[in-house]
Structures are given as structure tokens and as C-alpha cells.
Amino acid sequence: MQELIVNLHMHTVYSDGTGRHADIAEQALKSGLDVIIVTDHNVWTQGFEGYHSKGRRRVLMLVGEEVHDQARQPQKNHLLVIGAESEMATFAREPQRLIDLVNQRGGLSFIAHPIDPALKLFNEDDISWEDWEVDRYTGLELWNGFSELKNVVDSRLGALFYAFFPQYLAHGPEPELLARWNDLLAGGRRVVAVGGSDAHSLHKRMGLLRKTIFPYHFHFQTVNTHIFTPDPLTGDLQTDRNMVYQALRRGNCFVGYDLPAPTNGFRFTAQTSSGTAWMGDELVLEGSATLQIRLPMETDCRLIKDGTLVKSWHRYQICTYTTNEPGVYRVECLISYLGKNRGWIYSNPIYLRAPASSAFTTN
Ligand SMILES: [Zn+2]
Ligand SMILES: [Zn+2]
């Protein structure tokens, strides 16, 4: 399997971002990304997909959109739509219908910034996801690199601090969202977790100062989605787009916060008598399974089964766990950075199913 670093969920001048597609691609090349997925608000921008290269490096730019009902107040229910290959914003009013239409077109849908509280200080509304009764979506954005600001800022001074020292911002996914993800998984659903940057590269005026806050290149080095594909990228747009979307659809990926230390090389697999499962895979468990976790460096790691901690390791690099219990297994890793223990890696689950039980519901 090939590991590719994907940064998804970003805005250009076609919505409320400040960069053009070409500028963003240039920043992505400098940041060493393999794939970027642009998602402007309620507009599917056409004609920008393809490879950008500089020297020996290249980055694949793909284009989806972030859809929400603009007539709704507050403007909740943001959905990342990827791979539908048509304009889907006209269906924003009914989230379930939108999700079903995206599926019909072979696309993917991820609930964006599911918990995004109001920030009264700056007249920002709560734009969390509201319609949790929806079904058949691909997954959710477990960690949003930009909206985390609304969760951590409590004063103007605090906002100014993070504008100048953005490296202090990221702490990890909201505990409430992790709990909701656990509940969805425990209900027998397959829900893929991705990390999104929500990069806008906003230009702000602060007194006499003009500053670009949270620029694209900053976001590209922070919360990324690392995907696994069976083959390396070929250079052919259609082939590679399909491969990237297949990995995201299956959940063959993990969320990595790459700023404290690169998360490349993280692996979580399960070996059973019937084969090896990677993150996102489902296996029928006959006998026992050996779960293996390999970390890029020694750190703290925990294994979670059906939402409950089953084992934790302190400063380990290789962790193993043998089980004969079916369940949904996933891994979380923490890292010490800038004086705090912060979230570092969040794997998608491995689904170990009892022989007689029905398959997990594929969205
Ligand atoms: Zn949004
Ligand atoms: Zn966004």
C-alpha cells in the first residue's frame, strides 16, 4: 500500500478564501503534499483539476464543494461533497436528499466541522451540523484545522495570540465529536473520519497592521488525511482521482496532525487467519486477530474498541494486542508539543465481525 498525504477542505477566491487555485497548488507543492481537494462554498469550480509540478515534485489538485443551505439561519449543516462531478449546491435545502443524490453520482459526502459553536466575540454563529438523523453519508470531518479556533478562543487577546502564533492552536478533535463518532460506529455504521484544514488564508486588518492569518501553507503542514492506495499515483487524472476517492470511501486513511512531527509511517493492521485488514477494512473474525500499531516515533497510544479504551501504551513505538473479540477497533495517539499533550493521530477503525453477524452498514 502507498501512503499519500491529502489536504482537503479549502476555499479559494471563488468563495471566501483569498488564494487562486494556482497559488494554492504552489503552496501545496512547497509543503510536500500529494493531493489537495478544493471545496468552495456552494460552487463546484470546473477546469482546475490536474497535476501541478515544480522540479521533481508534483501535487494532484481535485475539486469538490462545501454545500449548505444559504437561506437557513444560522447557516448550519455544511457538507463536503467530493467526486459527484456535478453542481450539487441546488440540493442544499434537504441534507438527506443531497446525500442520496451524491451517492447516486458515485460521490462522497463528509459532514464538515460537525461541532462549530458560536463565537459571540466576533459575531460568529453556531454552524454545527444539526440534522443527525441523516444516513448513508460517507463520514465526518473529525478534526477541522480552522474551526477549532472557535472552540479554543475566549477573548480578543486570545484570538490575536493564535493569529500570530497559529502553531499553538491545534489540540485535537472535540471530545463531544469523538463520543458521537463512537456512538455511530457502535450502532453498526461505517463512518469514515477525515481531517480537514478549512483553509481560507484570510487577510485581516488589525489597527495599522495587515496580516494573513492561518495561511494555506500553515494549514498544509498541520491537519492532514493520510490515505493508503494499492498503487502509486500514475500521473493520469482519472485513474488517480478514482484511487484517491476509493481510499477515502473505504476509510483506508487516518487523520494526522503533522506539525509537531510528521505522522507518515503510522500503521494499524489486524492479522487474522483470513488475511490482513488495514484501517477501514472489515474482516470476519474466526479465531483470533493480532492488532499491530506502528508509530513514527515513541509516543502515547491507546486502542479503543466499540468506544471503550482497551489498552494504552506510554512511550511506545510498536504496540500489539491479540483478541478473539469482534468489534470496531481504532487507535488514538497523543504527542507532547508546546507544553501540552495534543492529539496527533486518529486512525479509521478496523471492523472485526463475528462470523454469523451481518456486515457493517456501508454508507
Ligand atoms: Zn463550513
Ligand atoms: Zn469550509
Side-chain angles (χ1 to χ4, degrees), residues 7-12 15-18 24 37-41 66 78 80 111-116 127 141 143-150 169 195-202 213-216 218-220 222-225:
N7 193 284
L8 59 86
H9 189 170
M10 65 197 71
H11 300 275
T12 74
S15 58
D16 55 351
T18 62
I24 291 173
I37 306 179
V38 173
T39 52
D40 274 307
H41 291 289
E66 183 176 17
H78 292 206
L80 298 175
I111 291 174
H113 45 81
I115 296 175
D116 196 319
I127 51 166
E141 191 179 51
W143 197 348
N144 178 304
F146 188 49
S147 86
E148 188 172 358
L149 188 65
K150 290 170 80 179
L169 172 61
S197 61
D198 214 348
H200 290 75
S201 219
L202 296 174
I213 61 164
F214 303 101
Y216 294 109
F218 170 76
H219 277 299
F220 293 167
T222 56
V223 179
N224 288 307
T225 303

Side-chain angles (χ1 to χ4, degrees), residues 3 224 226 254-259 261-267 295-296 344-345:
E3 180 176 352
N224 288 307
H226 293 237
F254 67 89
V255 179
Y257 174 38
D258 288 310
L259 193 63
T263 60
N264 310 34
F266 169 76
R267 297 291 182 269
L295 299 164
W344 190 38
I345 292 169

Side-chain angles (χ1 to χ4, degrees), residues 4-12 20-39 48-52 58-64 82 197 199 216-217 219-221 223-225 227 233 237 241 244-245 248:
L4 301 172
I5 309 178
V6 181
N7 193 284
L8 59 86
H9 189 170
M10 65 197 71
H11 300 275
T12 74
R20 295 171 300 133
H21 291 77
D23 305 327
I24 291 173
E26 196 180 320
Q27 297 299 319
L29 277 167
K30 281 186 191 160
S31 303
L33 297 175
D34 298 299
V35 182
I36 44 175
I37 306 179
V38 173
T39 52
F48 295 105
E49 289 199 328
Y51 275 96
H52 292 251
R58 66 179 181 184
V59 65
L60 174 61
M61 175 177 275
L62 298 172
V63 178
I82 297 168
S197 61
Y216 294 109
H217 65 82
H219 277 299
F220 293 167
Q221 292 159 27
V223 179
N224 288 307
T225 303
I227 68 167
L233 293 174
L237 171 61
R241 181 171 53 203
V244 169
Y245 290 168
L248 288 171

